[in-house]
Amino acid sequence: ANGGAMGRMRGEVEGMVGMLDLGRLSRRYLGDVVEGSGLVSAERYREIFEGAIERYDLEFDVERKFGSQGIGSVQWLYLDHVAVHGEGAARRLACADSYLGRVLIFNVESGECVCDVGSSEGPGKLRGPIGVAYNGRGQLYVSEWDHHQIFVYDGDGAFVRKFGSFGSGNGQFCCPQGLAFTAG
């Protein structure tokens, strides 16, 4: 009896996946986001880029792993969003863990945890971080679900400021989630 419903749902999902046509993404986007992330090797990026127009069943190989699941100092329970910033040895990967109320920042080259943001007591303490994004100066912005605010940390993970409050007016948020900055 459920075969028809499951078949329709699978067809709808396949249709949505088919809309994600890498061949239609701009070369600039692919270069800035995929190649610029440092999470895919240059060789693998070229393979993806060259095959983007003809292939729709791309498979990605794991290049690096960061941390592990658990509750230890460099572990995570549930990652919501990630953000990448910097170049070379200074490239960082920020991972928001809403369950443990912190953001782990890893060095992309070494895989080492550089710092743990938001777990210390004080004005920068996080309860429900969801979204993370770096601005052009390397400051980390974190959307805080429970506080209904945006928290800002410097490149070393030190708390700088927070802004916003609960509501629907200017400068107010209701459970903020994703964050993004535009280039330029």
Side-chain angles (χ1 to χ4, degrees):
N2 266 344
M6 291 302 288
R8 280 193 307 276
M9 186 166 52
R10 184 174 51 236
E12 290 174 13
V13 169
E14 288 172 355
M16 285 187 277
V17 171
M19 290 187 289
L20 300 175
D21 185 352
L22 290 176
R24 293 180 185 228
L25 293 176
S26 73
R27 290 178 183 268
R28 180 176 179 208
Y29 177 83
L30 286 171
D32 289 349
V33 176
V34 176
E35 183 181 37
S37 72
L39 300 175
V40 177
S41 70
E43 180 181 326
R44 185 66 180 130
Y45 167 75
R46 279 191 301 281
E47 290 174 9
I48 294 166
F49 189 74
E50 290 168 0
I53 294 171
E54 294 133 8
R55 286 184 59 191
Y56 300 100
D57 61 345
L58 297 175
E59 292 183 25
F60 294 90
D61 296 325
V62 173
E63 296 281 335
R64 293 181 185 98
K65 292 183 179 182
F66 299 91
S68 62
Q69 193 167 16
I71 59 171
S73 62
V74 296
Q75 293 182 308
W76 40 264
L77 278 181
Y78 184 81
L79 297 181
D80 288 288
H81 293 149
V82 299
V84 178
H85 179 76
E87 295 181 22
R91 183 166 286 163
R92 302 289 187 254
L93 172 70
C95 307
D97 184 341
S98 59
Y99 281 104
L100 295 179
R102 65 184 179 190
V103 175
L104 296 176
I105 301 178
F106 294 93
N107 177 293
V108 171
E109 280 191 3
S110 70
E112 299 290 323
C113 185
V114 175
C115 65
D116 169 343
V117 173
S119 61
S120 299
E121 292 299 324
K125 178 142 179 72
L126 299 169
R127 284 194 311 238
I130 302 288
V132 288
Y134 284 100
N135 69 9
R137 295 187 310 268
Q139 292 178 314
L140 177 65
Y141 284 65
V142 179
S143 61
E144 183 26 89
W145 174 276
D146 287 346
H147 290 290
H148 309 285
Q149 294 177 313
I150 306 299
F151 285 58
V152 183
Y153 301 87
D154 69 15
D156 295 321
F159 176 73
V160 175
R161 64 188 168 100
K162 59 185 173 183
F163 58 90
S165 62
F166 177 74
S168 59
N170 287 336
Q172 295 184 316
F173 304 102
C174 179
C175 306
Q177 294 184 40
L179 294 170
F181 284 94
T182 59

